[in-house]
Amino acid sequence: MRHMRTHISRAVAATALLALTAACTSGGSDRPGERSGDRSSEPAAGYQGLPDELGRQSPEWVECPAPSASQDPLATAPPEGLDDGTGWECADLTVPLDYDEPEGETIELALLRAVSPASDEERLGSLVFNFGGPGGSGVATLPQTGESFDALRQGGWDLVSFDPRGVGESEGVVCLSDAERDAATQELGSPPDTAEERRIAERQEEEFVDACVANSGDLLPHVSTANAARDLDLMRHVLGDERLNYFGISYGTQLGATYANLFPDRVGRTVLDAVVDPSDDPVQQGLLDAQGFQRALDHYLEDCVQQPDCPAGETPAEGSRWISQFLAELEEEPLPTRQDPAGRELTAVLAYTGIASTLYSEESWQYLTQGLAEARDEGTGDLLLLLNDIYSGRDPVSGAYSTQEPSFTAIRCADRPGGMSEEEALAHEAEFVEASEVFGPYMVWSLAGCAEDWPVTEAADPPDYDATGAAEPLLLLATTGDPATPIEGAERMREAMGGGEVAPLLRWDGEGHGAYLSEDPCVLDAVNSWLLDGEIPADDTNCPA
């Protein structure tokens, strides 16, 4: 089982879950983005090292259609405009497939924006967002969270996002078919503990790799985070900004830190929220993940046991043991579902993902309570299966998947190919179980790394996050109760980037994955003061103060 991948905003989670549950149950520069001319039509100047058709391109912005299934299978209509009537515009950006061969093959990246109402004199530039993954579609996500960022747009920023290479409409990685993916999750619904289950796992892995190579083989060597950062710099140039002004969340923080390492003199006002751990030690990183999710589960259980309808016992420790036992029972006998159109059962792995998904937001805790109560009292797994589907980018009605999961694998294996063998990974099982009795037995499998026959065997751009010499400091945000990117990882990233002067850290005492979308007044004031006025908080600022 892969560890948590995609940032899901609080607003998106609440809206989608409410609707689907109902269906189921019945200090910087004053002007950071200077450019001349009209913001929508002036061609860019040449870009060093690339042919003119790339360096001088001018995106053709048009009204956005509905996101494709590869971006968001739940979407059925074009994105709704913002409250002041501003609509979302979409365009394509042409980039080299291989930056070492700029005259060679190209690919198209999907872009989206909402234009600031500010005059040309008051406009700050483009603020580019990446919401995480790797594998998440920015074109699908930004409109769902746009109102949360509208103060920044009103203050002078055009809000811009994109599907990174290998994601969604930007040549999204395609491997197995939707039906094949469903069949695989039903055939092997638990960690492969027996010899027979391991034979099934080996066969499924071979089938997955063969499908990835057959459907996306030419793309796989080129979807690294470093190449996505190079795309960001071409995007910055084409949008007309002297520096990249950027808001990255979750994996988006890794992308932003990589950009700062590659292009330090082009770093503009930057916020990195829910910062990933920069460690290249998979055991340390995996244990941090397990501890983070267990910590978030404990916080949920501390709240749950105070409620009269908590299904998980009377104390947090009792609740954690109950959930662990529940997953163990599912390994032996999955739960039936009553309303899944595909007739799937709730396996242990699907339930594990559904449980973990609710820890990304305190507002989602209520759905975990409902899902566990349904399993305990009714012996069915509809809601936990639905939670898994939403998290995994699967339409629970049609069965269509986004490219999120294969994109995650491809990007991860382009950045850090190889990894431990199964035997080497399982040697750490006791450590993972000690870190989390609920999540450890599943997360230890993430150590096994990329398949032996994955076509990328050597990273062209090993990760490096040193941002010493960046033109502007990069503000890091960390949440004390974050399950997926625990605060300890943010502290290590600060040091990897060059310390508090380069990357000052703001800690928010809260729950969930990411601080800004919590709409905590202290966080909003600190971040907006930086992005709008160039006033960055001091290192080790705490919210609330």
Side-chain angles (χ1 to χ4, degrees):
M1 177 65 182
R2 305 177 185 93
H3 76 81
M4 300 300 103
R5 295 172 292 280
T6 304
H7 170 81
I8 304 175
S9 78
R10 301 168 191 278
V12 176
T15 301
L17 287 169
L18 283 170
L20 289 170
T21 302
C24 179
T25 58
S26 128
S29 60
D30 290 336
R31 302 198 56 74
E34 293 283 3
R35 70 166 294 174
S36 60
D38 180 79
R39 69 185 71 171
S40 62
S41 61
E42 181 181 333
Y47 182 83
Q48 185 175 2
L50 295 187
D52 277 356
E53 59 265 28
L54 300 182
R56 296 180 180 274
Q57 64 185 298
S58 180
E60 297 181 8
W61 297 97
V62 299
E63 183 178 348
C64 290
S68 68
S70 66
Q71 294 169 314
D72 181 3
L74 297 174
T76 59
E80 293 185 6
L82 296 163
D83 283 349
D84 67 357
T86 299
W88 296 95
E89 302 173 337
C90 287
D92 291 327
L93 176 72
T94 305
V95 302
L97 174 64
D98 184 348
Y99 277 91
D100 289 334
E101 298 182 7
E103 302 280 352
E105 187 177 349
T106 61
I107 59 176
E108 302 294 318
L109 304 187
L111 308 183
L112 169 142
R113 74 174 183 181
V115 174
S116 172
S119 66
D120 285 343
E121 290 74 21
E122 296 299 321
R123 179 176 177 269
L124 296 172
S126 295
L127 183 63
V128 180
F129 290 80
N130 180 283
F131 292 93
S137 166
V139 172
T141 304
L142 181 55
Q144 297 170 333
T145 59
E147 290 297 341
S148 296
F149 299 106
D150 203 46
L152 300 173
R153 189 181 68 89
Q154 297 290 340
W157 293 109
D158 293 348
L159 307 183
V160 178
S161 195
F162 66 108
D163 288 358
R165 56 174 56 214
V167 175
E169 284 297 284
S170 297
E171 305 290 336
V173 173
V174 176
C175 297
L176 299 172
S177 69
D178 296 336
E180 288 169 333
R181 292 172 70 173
D182 274 352
T185 62
Q186 293 293 288
E187 181 184 30
L188 187 64
S190 64
D193 298 321
T194 68
E196 175 60 25
E197 288 173 343
R198 291 181 182 179
R199 282 192 291 270
I200 293 172
E202 290 173 2
R203 172 177 54 78
Q204 287 189 356
E205 185 174 83
E206 291 175 1
E207 293 170 349
F208 175 75
V209 173
D210 289 346
C212 294
V213 172
N215 294 315
S216 297
D218 292 344
L219 183 65
L220 299 179
H222 305 292
V223 294
S224 68
T225 299
N227 276 335
R230 296 182 179 102
D231 294 339
L232 273 176
D233 198 56
L234 179 56
M235 188 186 310
R236 170 203 61 77
H237 170 76
V238 168
L239 291 171
D241 292 324
E242 294 180 2
R243 294 177 180 174
L244 177 70
N245 305 290
Y246 178 79
F247 201 127
I249 301 173
S250 194
Y251 163 77
T253 67
Q254 179 181 336
L255 176 57
T258 300
Y259 181 90
N261 173 261
L262 292 176
F263 306 103
D265 59 324
R266 302 172 198 170
V267 171
R269 293 181 191 169
T270 297
V271 175
L272 304 180
D273 188 1
V275 183
V276 301
D277 181 9
S279 173
D280 59 3
D281 179 347
V283 176
Q284 175 181 283
Q285 196 170 60
L287 287 172
L288 184 64
D289 288 343
Q291 292 163 357
F293 274 94
Q294 186 65 47
R295 180 189 300 158
L297 181 65
D298 290 343
H299 292 174
Y300 156 75
L301 289 168
E302 288 167 4
D303 178 78
C304 182
V305 297
Q306 302 301 317
Q307 312 303 322
D309 57 348
C310 181
E314 297 182 357
T315 68
E318 183 180 332
S320 188
R321 288 193 298 270
W322 184 87
I323 293 173
S324 180
Q325 181 62 32
F326 168 63
L327 292 173
E329 292 171 358
L330 288 179
E331 292 186 21
E332 300 299 323
E333 185 175 356
L335 283 182
T337 58
R338 295 173 295 188
Q339 301 185 45
D340 181 61
R344 293 171 298 159
E345 294 181 313
L346 179 71
T347 66
V349 166
L350 296 176
Y352 157 77
T353 306
I355 290 168
S357 74
T358 64
L359 302 179
Y360 277 66
S361 165
E362 189 172 357
E363 286 80 2
S364 298
W365 289 358
Q366 61 182 306
Y367 303 111
L368 178 52
T369 297
Q370 292 172 19
L372 294 176
E374 178 193 42
R376 184 195 65 180
D377 299 337
E378 302 177 33
T380 55
D382 289 276
L383 183 50
L384 288 176
L385 183 63
L386 175 63
L387 291 164
N388 165 85
D389 284 353
I390 294 173
Y391 177 80
S392 299
R394 182 187 185 276
D395 182 341
V397 177
S398 71
Y401 283 88
S402 74
T403 66
Q404 174 183 307
E405 293 200 27
S407 298
F408 168 86
T409 298
I411 295 168
R412 178 191 181 204
C413 292
D415 284 348
R416 288 178 172 149
M420 295 183 181
S421 68
E422 180 181 294
E423 291 73 21
E424 290 170 329
L426 290 178
H428 298 278
E429 186 171 19
E431 296 172 70
F432 275 73
V433 172
E434 183 179 0
S436 171
E437 62 180 323
V438 173
F439 301 106
Y442 294 81
M443 288 188 171
V444 69
W445 289 92
S446 68
L447 300 180
C450 304
E452 289 185 8
D453 51 350
W454 188 259
V456 183
T457 58
E458 184 175 350
D461 303 284
D464 189 345
Y465 308 116
D466 183 2
T468 304
E472 300 271 14
L474 300 92
L475 177 60
L476 309 186
L477 307 182
T479 300
T480 57
D482 193 321
T485 53
I487 195 167
E488 295 88 345
E491 292 167 346
R492 283 198 279 269
M493 179 64 88
R494 174 178 56 183
E495 300 313 307
M497 295 181 72
E501 291 188 6
V502 175
L505 175 63
L506 182 150
R507 298 177 180 85
W508 175 54
D509 185 14
E511 302 294 336
H513 187 44
Y516 190 86
L517 287 171
S518 72
E519 300 187 356
D520 175 80
C522 175
V523 174
L524 292 181
D525 182 65
V527 173
N528 292 355
S529 293
W530 167 228
L531 291 176
L532 296 175
D533 303 318
E535 299 174 0
I536 196 164
D539 185 33
D540 283 325
T541 294
N542 294 304
C543 277

